[in-house]
Amino acid sequence: GENVEQHPSTLSVQEGDSAVIKCTYSDSASNYFPWYKQELGKRPQLIIDIRSNVGEKKDQRIAVTLNKTAKHFSLHITETQPEDSAVYFCAARAAGNKLTFGGGTRVLVKP
Amino acid sequence: KAGVTQTPRYLIKTRGQQVTLSCSPISGHRSVSWYQQTPGQGLQFLFEYFSETQRNKGNFPGRFSGRQFSNSRSEMNVSTLELGDSALYLCASSLRGGDEQFFGPGTRLTVL
């Protein structure tokens, strides 16, 4: 089955700096890669997703890149703000299969 | 449009008991997935239901079971509870299953 590894497990950045979280997946058939943000005590919420026919996608301060050959994808957050502090999860899914999550990255943005 | 709801929000049970959790998806969504979230293990997939049929199943023992009703509402049951079953149980709904999943607030289960 699919295996998703996520790094780093914790990330501390200064407000205004960029944050990068990287994930690798094992199933070459995976074609859907969402990223979720979970604030303390709240439910995970989708912040951005990408499909395998696209190499990069941006939404304001966040962007995701996908390298199908290397089977890895990354989340980039620019100009970080204190409200970006949360746990971020990457995930991967092949058509008809379950969504497999990475282990999560705890991001702390220091003011 | 109302979001995904889960009941109850909190549960305290003792070892050996059984528990049933409920999830109501967003109106029109036919796929419901269940996850167990613990501090050490992250989000672990339990099962996915689509149009009342189990479509995918995770690596959990048979004590964990689920079902989906014709109105897409889903329940999961855990029998013979163990201390290690203490976790936040999240359900998520999506239109067809291969698209964006919307999570509910979760049910926090504590097993004493």
Side-chain angles (χ1 to χ4, degrees), chain A residues 32 36 38 41-46 49 51 89 93 96-103, chain B residues 4 35 37 42-43 45 48 55-56 58-59 88 90 97-101 103-105:
Chain A
Y32 177 61
Y36 284 85
Q38 186 175 29
K42 297 191 176 181
R43 71 190 77 186
Q45 290 197 304
L46 182 77
D49 57 9
R51 295 191 182 271
F89 292 96
R93 179 175 184 150
N97 289 351
K98 65 180 183 179
L99 191 62
T100 300
F101 284 85
Chain B
V4 180
Y35 298 89
Q37 186 173 33
L43 281 159
F45 173 81
E48 177 191 7
R55 187 155 69 173
N56 286 295
N59 298 321
L88 180 67
L90 292 159
D99 46 3
E100 179 180 357
Q101 291 191 357
F103 281 86

Side-chain angles (χ1 to χ4, degrees), chain A residues 21-39:
Chain A
I21 303 170
K22 298 182 179 181
C23 291
T24 60
Y25 61 98
S26 60
D27 188 351
S28 56
S30 288
N31 59 3
Y32 177 61
F33 307 90
W35 286 86
Y36 284 85
K37 175 185 180 182
Q38 186 175 29
E39 297 177 36

Side-chain angles (χ1 to χ4, degrees), chain B residues 12-28:
Chain B
I12 299 177
K13 293 285 187 178
T14 56
R15 281 180 297 174
Q17 287 187 308
Q18 74 167 20
V19 66
T20 299
L21 313 181
S22 180
C23 173
S24 292
I26 292 171
S27 178

